[in-house]
Amino acid sequence: MSKKTPSLLKDSCYFCTSTYQLFSILSLAISRDEKSDLFIDPQFADAEAIAQRVESLGIFEGVYIIDSKKIYSKYISRESGIINHLQIARTYFHVGSISNIIVSNNATYKNIFVSSRAFIPRLYILNCYKKKQDVKVYYFDDGVGSYYGNSALNPSKADGMVRKVLFGKKALDFDQDRYLMFPEMYKKINGETPYQVWEIDRFFDHPQYSDVLDKVFVPGNDVALPESAVILEELSGSFGKNKEKLNSLYEYTLKAFGSSDLIMKRHPRSKEEKRKGFRYYQKSELPFEILCIRNDMNKKVLISVGSTALSTPKMITGQEPYVVLLYKFIQNEGMNQAPLDHFFTALKESYSDSDKVMIPNSFEEYKECIVKILGEIRR
């Protein structure tokens, strides 16, 4: 990857922790056309290979893989619980040395683009505040969490108190401008805000950048989605007593559409065996956004318990597939239903035909939704 360079001031840096974020980051970097660097926390598959492909495009002056394992192995030994919170608080006393690991090219930046409350970028930003650098922070689209105002950014009371003592009031100021794929949705949910919400100029809408998706994600020639219905599978380990109900619903859906007209898109982190009798999309690592960009989604049927990826066609490409959500009667353990309902109600209201977004309250209502959809798409 990019080698260490002499200390210098650059325009912007971007922090990336998922492939979804790359759609926003690449769009912003291309439209801003400035001296910028990309820092990738390798939390997703093939991060290093993707980083090399992004670097080859020449959009960024440097593309760097953050040695996050080094940070976690030294400072964080627990993934949850009070010890984890204490360890996170301890990192605030070491933001200087940690920042040298995060940003290893010895550069400083006028602007920082970051998504929600990712841990690694947060430490770098706090170090900038500690050093009283004149830096501007911007938030960019990272899915549903980006549309709930500052709720994804606000720390706990204890965490907030530590940040304020160590880094000042600025560490608790989250009223930063943000760049989103669908500002209209944000305004529906949040109303007026003290900060600006800008629309991202999507690079994949411009013919001169039509090859960027292929070069970064290498989807290959076969990205067709001929099936009418797609089930976006979620990690079933979190469904508990609702797992059997979900299995029954999947079986009903298979019979309703037929095995040739229904496909499952696995969760990227799923390690479970594939369901017998179901066909699966083979390129499970391929971001769902690619399929939405490359296919006509308007007559597709997307089904999920509560995956916010169901909003992707509308938010990224303006397409309006049928969307059927199950979270009102099949719940993930620990699911906070209220914000999810708020979000998908706003999605429904944003559709030109709001009847295409369906949120049934029971299995029987779900069956009625499927019968209605089949009657419309198979006329």
Side-chain angles (χ1 to χ4, degrees):
M1 299 312 303
S2 300
K3 297 180 180 179
K4 193 168 183 178
T5 58
S7 178
L8 74 164
L9 177 64
K10 294 189 177 185
D11 293 313
S12 298
C13 70
Y14 298 82
F15 286 99
C16 175
T17 61
S18 72
T19 53
Y20 179 85
Q21 293 174 15
L22 280 173
F23 290 88
S24 297
I25 290 170
L26 289 168
S27 294
L28 288 165
I30 288 171
S31 64
R32 290 174 69 88
D33 189 22
E34 57 189 6
K35 293 182 180 180
S36 63
D37 292 326
L38 172 62
F39 294 91
I40 295 177
D41 182 358
Q43 297 181 18
F44 51 93
D46 300 323
E48 292 198 11
I50 289 174
Q52 290 173 353
R53 295 196 290 264
V54 170
E55 187 170 42
S56 70
L57 297 173
I59 295 170
F60 303 95
E61 288 199 336
V63 178
Y64 303 87
I65 294 287
I66 299 170
D67 190 357
S68 50
K69 284 185 178 179
K70 183 176 181 179
I71 297 169
Y72 283 107
S73 64
K74 186 172 182 178
Y75 297 100
I76 308 291
S77 62
R78 297 288 182 90
E79 293 184 359
S80 61
I82 190 166
I83 293 177
N84 172 258
H85 291 297
L86 291 172
Q87 290 175 335
I88 289 174
R90 186 183 66 166
T91 62
Y92 295 160
F93 293 91
H94 302 278
V95 291
S97 57
I98 294 174
S99 289
N100 290 333
I101 299 173
I102 298 170
V103 174
S104 55
N105 62 349
N106 206 30
T108 55
Y109 302 92
K110 299 175 185 175
N111 308 299
I112 299 173
F113 288 83
V114 66
S115 158
S116 64
R117 55 181 180 184
F119 173 62
I120 297 291
R122 182 203 315 166
L123 296 177
Y124 177 72
I125 292 170
L126 291 175
N127 187 54
C128 291
Y129 293 158
K130 181 180 179 181
K131 295 166 70 174
K132 301 192 183 304
Q133 292 180 0
D134 184 16
V135 62
K136 178 71 175 175
V137 176
Y138 296 93
Y139 299 117
F140 61 79
D141 202 311
D142 189 23
V144 62
S146 299
Y147 290 80
Y148 290 141
N150 290 337
S151 61
L153 300 163
N154 291 325
S156 66
K157 288 184 178 180
D159 189 16
M161 185 165 39
V162 175
R163 291 193 209 181
K164 185 176 180 180
V165 170
L166 294 178
F167 309 108
K169 292 181 179 180
K170 197 169 184 179
L172 297 178
D173 179 11
F174 303 115
D175 286 340
Q176 319 291 352
D177 288 0
R178 49 209 71 191
Y179 288 84
L180 302 174
M181 292 288 184
F182 198 8
E184 178 188 337
M185 170 79 84
Y186 190 91
K187 291 168 185 174
K188 279 181 179 292
I189 295 173
N190 299 285
E192 292 298 320
T193 60
Y195 44 82
Q196 293 293 320
V197 182
W198 308 98
E199 183 171 6
I200 291 174
D201 182 24
R202 303 158 176 79
F203 72 87
F204 44 84
D205 286 342
H206 300 280
Q208 65 268 41
Y209 300 114
S210 59
D211 61 344
V212 169
L213 284 175
D214 291 324
K215 289 179 177 178
V216 173
F217 296 105
V218 196
N221 295 323
D222 185 16
V223 290
L225 195 64
E227 295 82 6
S228 297
V230 183
I231 293 177
L232 294 179
E233 196 177 35
E234 297 179 67
L235 296 173
S236 60
S238 58
F239 286 104
K241 62 183 180 181
N242 286 308
K243 191 171 181 178
E244 286 305 313
K245 188 188 294 186
L246 183 62
N247 290 338
S248 297
L249 185 142
Y250 284 164
E251 291 294 335
Y252 167 81
T253 308
L254 179 63
K255 290 178 183 177
F257 284 93
S259 60
S260 63
D261 207 24
L262 171 72
I263 197 159
M264 302 279 283
K265 179 77 165 62
R266 297 193 85 184
H267 191 284
R269 296 196 303 275
S270 176
K271 295 180 181 178
E272 296 186 9
E273 291 184 8
K274 293 181 178 179
R275 297 172 181 272
K276 292 182 180 179
F278 287 82
R279 295 168 52 253
Y280 283 77
Y281 190 76
Q282 293 302 307
K283 300 177 181 178
S284 59
E285 75 287 349
L286 191 68
F288 183 59
E289 295 74 28
I290 299 286
L291 296 180
C292 296
I293 292 169
R294 293 293 172 82
N295 288 277
D296 181 355
M297 302 296 291
N298 286 304
K299 285 195 173 182
K300 301 295 183 189
V301 186
L302 306 183
I303 302 165
S304 177
V305 173
S307 172
T308 54
L310 269 64
S311 66
T312 298
K314 177 65 175 178
M315 293 174 69
I316 286 189
T317 67
Q319 299 186 81
E320 297 186 354
Y322 291 89
V323 166
V324 187
L325 292 138
L326 318 174
Y327 62 85
K328 284 197 173 180
F329 66 100
I330 300 179
Q331 296 180 8
N332 264 327
E333 292 181 350
M335 173 190 286
N336 187 348
Q337 190 178 112
L340 202 64
D341 201 43
H342 201 182
F343 177 81
F344 282 114
T345 298
L347 176 69
K348 183 178 179 71
E349 292 173 353
S350 73
Y351 263 52
S352 57
D353 179 2
S354 62
D355 289 341
K356 291 181 75 174
V357 178
M358 305 177 182
I359 313 175
N361 291 289
S362 66
F363 199 156
E364 288 305 312
E365 284 189 15
Y366 173 77
K367 291 177 181 178
E368 292 172 6
C369 292
I370 297 302
V371 170
K372 179 178 184 296
I373 291 170
L374 286 170
E376 293 179 1
I377 66 174
R378 292 183 175 174
R379 285 175 183 169

